[in-house]
Amino acid sequence: MLENFEIKAAEDLTIRGTVFYGSGEQIEKKPVIILAHGFKGFKNWVFFPYVAQQFTKHGFIAITFNFSMNGVGEDLLSFTEMDKFSENTYHREIEDLKEIVSAIEDDTLPFAELMNKESLYLLGHSKGGATVLLYTRENEEKVNGVATWNAISQADLFHEELKKEIREKGTGYIYNGRTKEYMPVKQKAVEDVESNHERYDIIQAVQETETAKLFIQGGEDSPKLTAGAKELNKHADNGRLEWIETGSHTFNTAHPFEQSSPELEKAISSTVNFFKVQEKMKEKEKDGKEKE
């Protein structure tokens, strides 16, 4: 089962999402996984709906969503809001995650009455991995565990040639190989990164947080990301790196999604097992406190 929702994040911003809930008789409230997409991604991109559905088969409620300034509009598939994409920031994405967590806490999302608010997990792909790690750094008391898939380790995604173009013309452009579009980036997006080096220091974020972290990395992904995964694991407090040696950036799947792959199934099973271990540890800690 699934149900869509919308959250007004600001006067002209909307977070569009979907809650996935497994069928069957409800016995107890279920832990929640929030899935965050990456740069040029969106909630219906490649494997996200499939992954969310798989999580529900293992006893979780899953939430996919579009960041409010990711550029994808009401049709949920096309970049019809390029003006918003051009000024998207980490600050805005962290605020969007806060909005979703608040909606869970306030019982305003679909199936909210079936969500265990004390069992919140985050999963981020690519740039989304950075966003969930940065969110956790500032809201650690709300998060029970974090998993990243092929995450970036450095917040600044903009190369110097693009920055020069933006400084000179006000807007620079990056190419989307899938849609064959040139997507605009404006100074606001660059300034957000350059003026918040410490806040968006991803390596420092994994050092400072005690929350359990699982970094899943495809061995066939870009050298920058594979090297970054090693750095994240090296510096992480309570972190673990798992390699999927033959995995690409999308774990050997493509958009539009047609079928899964052994690499994607491995990423899903490893993430489920990791989150279930955290659930058991939380319950054990809870039982211990009740006996005191």
Side-chain angles (χ1 to χ4, degrees), residues 111-291:
F111 306 112
E113 71 280 5
L114 305 178
M115 297 179 184
N116 184 343
K117 300 175 185 178
E118 296 181 357
S119 294
L120 177 63
Y121 298 91
L122 303 179
L123 167 62
H125 175 256
S126 196
K127 180 175 180 262
T131 302
V132 298
L133 290 170
L134 295 173
Y135 170 87
T136 300
R137 182 192 195 184
E138 298 179 2
N139 304 272
E140 190 165 14
E141 74 284 356
K142 297 180 182 291
V143 182
N144 203 50
V146 181
T148 67
W149 290 4
N150 296 332
I152 63 172
S153 60
Q154 302 294 324
D156 193 349
L157 296 176
F158 307 124
H159 54 77
E160 288 305 317
E161 185 177 340
L162 175 63
K163 292 179 182 179
K164 180 181 178 182
E165 182 182 9
I166 293 172
R167 286 193 296 267
E168 293 176 351
K169 301 179 180 179
T171 303
Y173 292 88
I174 56 172
Y175 186 63
N176 186 326
R178 181 182 66 83
T179 65
K180 313 304 180 186
E181 298 172 288
Y182 284 92
M183 306 179 72
V185 179
K186 294 185 178 179
Q187 187 62 29
K188 180 179 178 180
V190 176
E191 287 179 351
D192 179 64
V193 174
E194 293 183 339
S195 61
N196 289 282
H197 286 295
E198 185 173 343
R199 185 187 183 197
Y200 301 156
D201 187 328
I202 302 166
I203 298 299
Q204 188 172 333
V206 300
Q207 285 179 317
E208 294 179 355
T209 51
E210 297 179 359
T211 304
K213 294 170 281 289
L214 173 65
F215 311 114
I216 296 181
Q217 180 61 52
E220 297 298 321
D221 204 348
S222 72
K224 184 174 182 179
L225 291 185
T226 56
K230 295 176 184 178
E231 286 299 303
L232 288 170
N233 186 57
K234 176 182 176 181
H235 295 282
D237 179 24
N238 199 14
R240 177 168 63 85
L241 171 61
E242 182 169 328
W243 291 96
I244 299 180
E245 295 295 344
T246 56
S248 68
H249 192 59
T250 55
F251 297 114
N252 304 58
T253 62
H255 186 85
F257 186 84
E258 294 183 352
Q259 63 181 8
S260 186
S261 67
E263 291 81 4
L264 179 60
E265 293 302 322
K266 177 59 177 174
I268 293 170
S269 64
S270 295
T271 303
V272 166
N273 291 338
F274 170 69
F275 287 158
K276 284 190 173 183
V277 167
Q278 304 315 309
E279 276 292 283
K280 291 179 181 179
M281 291 177 64
K282 180 172 66 68
E283 290 303 316
K284 185 176 181 180
E285 181 180 347
K286 181 180 178 181
D287 292 342
K289 289 182 178 179
E290 290 177 350
K291 293 177 181 179

